Amino acid sequence: MRLFKHLLFATLLVIATACGHHEPDGGKTPDARDVKRAILVYAVNNSSLAYDFKDDYREMLTALSSVDNPDCRLLVYYTESDSECGIYEAVKSKVNAASKQGEYEFVKRKSYRRDVPSTHPDRIADVIDYALTLFPNAAYDLIFWGHGMSWRPDFSDHQLNAPIKPKGYGGEYNPTGSKLDWTSISELAKAVPDHKFQTIWFDCCYMTGIEVVYQFRDKCSTFVGYPTEVWQDGMQYDEVLPYLLRDTPDVVGGAKAFYAHYAANQDPVTVAVIDMSKIEPLAESARIALKTGESRPSESVLLNYSRSRNWPFYDFRQFFSLTASLNGDTSAAANLESAVADAVVYSAAFGKNFNQHQWDVTLISGLSTHYYKATDSKEEKYYRTLDWYKRVYE
């Protein structure tokens, strides 16, 4: 899975060997102003997921060839070696005589050196800012690719000797292969400009925590992610991207295709699509639920999206609805459940969790939450800095 699969670092430096690349051309494509839609994939692939990115790389090109829509563009940022990263654009190289469809390849648009980790918020902001200049009239979507751990902080200084802490977003190896670097959710959200993306899709574990979603409330119109882990294969780009590479994208259709792939193989899978225009009413309903009284549900009765009780992510709807009910306010509980139904426009979960145990899918809302306990731990102190805490708990 994307969080836990750790391969030998020696396998991580071969990403570029299977892919033919062009030298940077330093400019925009001639028809840049005519492009209607563009997708940026930001991949932290210098990690234990390196070989999985190679598969996704090929799937992306397959998707472009199957859609062959001249009004849409795909941009991908990734690490090509331990010394260099780059932004690539998928461009049509030739037309297949049999299918009459275009065949695509990635052409480099800009190079970056590896002396700054791909998890550094300044690097993320720079890549996004540059990508947004390439197609000035296009509607943009953003896909974050890599490891994820919801809101949990990394406490990283973003130096190449950063300590190993499996938290936040990223999980990038430094050139020695002995350390990892992560981006905290608050840092990541700050690196993304407001109101520039229609959809943000996290192809990572655990990223539909309400704390993450709320931190991104001004960043996109639609948010897609997985409340649980996801197997290391992640999104099937050849199956999902065709739904997104349309003049009018079908985000729910893409999420359904993602779910169907795993469910057909009887593999655990979850996915949720969230309407960000409904997030503030959802937050208000959660705040009201907390204010109904001091009673809180027992953790033992809550659905846990994590395989571990050491860092549980509980179902959002169940936690807040039970809180209101335990305090005798059934109206607040009903309002909370209605707000969830409005915000989560699509949610799906397989009948078994990642421990291969049956679970009650009717309890699964697609959103998770932290069980806040007001301790002085590093995690709880960081939690109190998040926008969600300030909106709901203060």
Side-chain angles (χ1 to χ4, degrees), residues 1-2 49 52 56 59 145 201 203-205 226 228-240 254-271 346 348-352 354 356:
M1 70 226 40
R2 289 198 177 243
L49 299 171
D52 300 297
D56 288 348
E59 290 174 0
W145 189 105
W201 187 314
D203 192 19
C204 319
C205 296
Y226 324 130
T228 61
E229 303 164 36
V230 60
W231 294 120
Q232 69 267 15
D233 295 341
M235 185 197 299
Q236 308 77 38
Y237 286 83
D238 54 337
E239 299 176 25
V240 175
K256 288 180 177 179
F258 167 84
Y259 173 79
H261 175 93
Y262 285 102
N265 294 318
Q266 301 293 294
D267 286 331
V269 59
T270 59
V271 64
Y346 173 74
F350 190 64
K352 289 185 178 181
F354 279 80
Q356 295 297 328

Side-chain angles (χ1 to χ4, degrees), residues 33-50:
R33 294 191 175 276
D34 297 327
V35 173
K36 296 179 180 178
R37 298 202 59 81
I39 298 175
L40 170 63
V41 179
Y42 191 95
V44 179
N45 66 296
N46 188 26
S47 70
S48 61
L49 299 171

Side-chain angles (χ1 to χ4, degrees), residues 120-122 124-126 128-129 186-193 219:
H120 197 296
D122 291 345
I124 297 168
D126 185 80
I128 291 174
D129 288 346
S186 52
E187 290 177 321
L188 185 62
K190 287 179 182 177
V192 179
K219 310 300 177 178

Side-chain angles (χ1 to χ4, degrees), residues 31-39 71-73 75 131-141 196-198:
D31 58 347
R33 294 191 175 276
D34 297 327
V35 173
K36 296 179 180 178
R37 298 202 59 81
I39 298 175
D71 295 328
C72 297
R73 293 289 190 274
L75 301 166
L132 290 171
T133 69
L134 292 176
F135 309 110
N137 296 326
Y140 273 80
D141 296 332
K196 293 295 185 180
F197 294 100
Q198 293 194 344

Side-chain angles (χ1 to χ4, degrees), residues 177-198:
S178 61
K179 305 293 182 183
L180 297 174
D181 196 76
W182 297 78
T183 309
S184 72
I185 293 307
S186 52
E187 290 177 321
L188 185 62
K190 287 179 182 177
V192 179
D194 290 352
H195 309 300
K196 293 295 185 180
F197 294 100
Q198 293 194 344

Side-chain angles (χ1 to χ4, degrees), residues 284-286 288-290 292 320-340:
E284 181 62 14
S285 71
I288 292 172
L290 286 177
T292 57
F320 285 97
S321 178
L322 282 177
T323 292
S325 296
L326 287 171
N327 288 295
D329 195 330
T330 57
S331 176
N335 288 339
L336 183 284
E337 294 184 12
S338 177
V340 172

